[in-house]
Amino acid sequence: MQREIITYPNKRLFISSKRVENFDKDLHKLLDDMYETMIKGCGVGLASIQVNVPLRVFLANIPDENEEQKKEDLFEIINPELKILDDEKIVFNEGCLSIPGFFEDVERYKNVRLEYQDRFGKHKILETSDFLAVVIQHEFDHLNGHLFIEKLSYTKRKAFEKEFKKQQKEKRQRSLGEEAKKSKS
């Protein structure tokens, strides 16, 4: 079942998520729902806080060389511990399902190690680099109540806030216009 994604500036996005204690059917349902939500939203990652569930859970599903996301390539990450492997950094153009329509270059570490549990509680280790490492860091930030826009320079952050306020104002005006049309009919 597809779930609603909460969007910026919802304060829930800024809370720290809690560890998963029960690896049960409720967790499996959450993971399955998150996958459907992520795919329908055209995302490559999704943290459970984005569907209003403050647990240390996220998904990562990188498209293959044909730009297809296959479920067999899905990482279900529960209770992750992230370690940066070296100081090498890369820049990727990031977006977020909780900040629709906004993309910006963000600097991240190139190489990471992730220790986590799968949906059954089994401990796993993943060492990765490049795009998957970026996605993991982005989603890991969500678990700690952070969004990628916090990594932007002061100037880019101010530009984002200005554009965001403009979009919010336009949405309100459209909504008021639609309400006025309905009341006239």
Side-chain angles (χ1 to χ4, degrees):
M1 172 186 82
Q2 187 174 355
R3 296 191 184 201
E4 180 182 348
I5 295 174
I6 59 176
T7 57
Y8 180 84
N10 189 310
K11 291 181 181 359
R12 299 273 300 165
L13 292 169
F14 298 97
I15 65 171
S16 289
S17 297
K18 294 179 173 37
R19 284 185 62 79
V20 171
E21 301 296 334
N22 298 315
F23 294 80
D24 57 12
K25 64 178 174 53
D26 292 336
L27 175 64
H28 297 183
K29 172 87 169 108
L30 171 65
L31 290 164
D32 295 341
D33 289 354
M34 285 175 61
Y35 180 75
E36 184 176 332
T37 304
M38 179 185 70
I39 294 300
K40 292 242 169 94
C42 299
V44 295
L46 185 69
S48 64
I49 191 61
Q50 293 177 271
V51 293
N52 208 16
V53 179
L55 291 174
R56 295 191 71 76
V57 173
F58 71 81
L59 305 179
N61 193 229
I62 305 301
D64 64 15
E65 61 280 352
N66 298 318
E67 295 299 314
E68 293 179 42
Q69 286 174 283
K70 296 182 178 157
K71 193 155 187 182
E72 60 263 23
D73 297 330
L74 174 68
F75 289 97
E76 295 176 329
I77 310 291
I78 301 158
N79 298 330
E81 296 297 327
L82 181 67
K83 181 179 181 193
I84 306 305
L85 295 178
D86 56 44
D87 291 334
E88 189 175 356
K89 294 190 176 180
I90 53 176
V91 174
F92 267 87
N93 192 262
E94 291 188 31
C96 181
L97 294 173
S98 289
I99 309 175
F102 182 75
F103 299 87
E104 189 59 68
D105 286 344
V106 176
E107 185 177 71
R108 300 274 187 183
Y109 290 98
K110 180 180 168 95
N111 304 298
V112 299
R113 175 186 169 104
L114 195 68
E115 294 186 34
Y116 66 98
Q117 292 170 278
D118 67 11
R119 68 168 46 215
F120 304 105
K122 184 178 177 192
H123 289 271
K124 303 227 174 198
I125 296 173
L126 171 66
E127 284 192 11
T128 191
S129 60
D130 300 316
F131 187 42
L132 182 55
V134 167
V135 172
I136 285 169
Q137 290 169 81
H138 177 109
E139 299 307 329
F140 189 82
D141 282 351
H142 275 299
L143 303 186
N144 296 319
H146 297 289
L147 300 173
F148 84 98
I149 56 174
E150 295 173 56
K151 295 194 172 295
L152 301 180
S153 69
Y154 177 81
T155 307
K156 287 183 178 182
R157 181 77 186 261
K158 287 297 175 193
F160 162 74
E161 289 171 3
K162 183 178 177 182
E163 180 63 26
F164 181 78
K165 285 178 184 172
K166 179 182 164 192
Q167 288 175 1
Q168 294 300 101
K169 183 178 179 182
E170 289 170 356
K171 280 182 187 175
R172 280 192 301 276
Q173 288 173 339
R174 279 193 304 271
S175 178
L176 288 172
E178 290 170 11
E179 287 178 26
K181 284 180 186 177
K182 286 179 184 175
S183 66
K184 288 180 182 178
S185 36

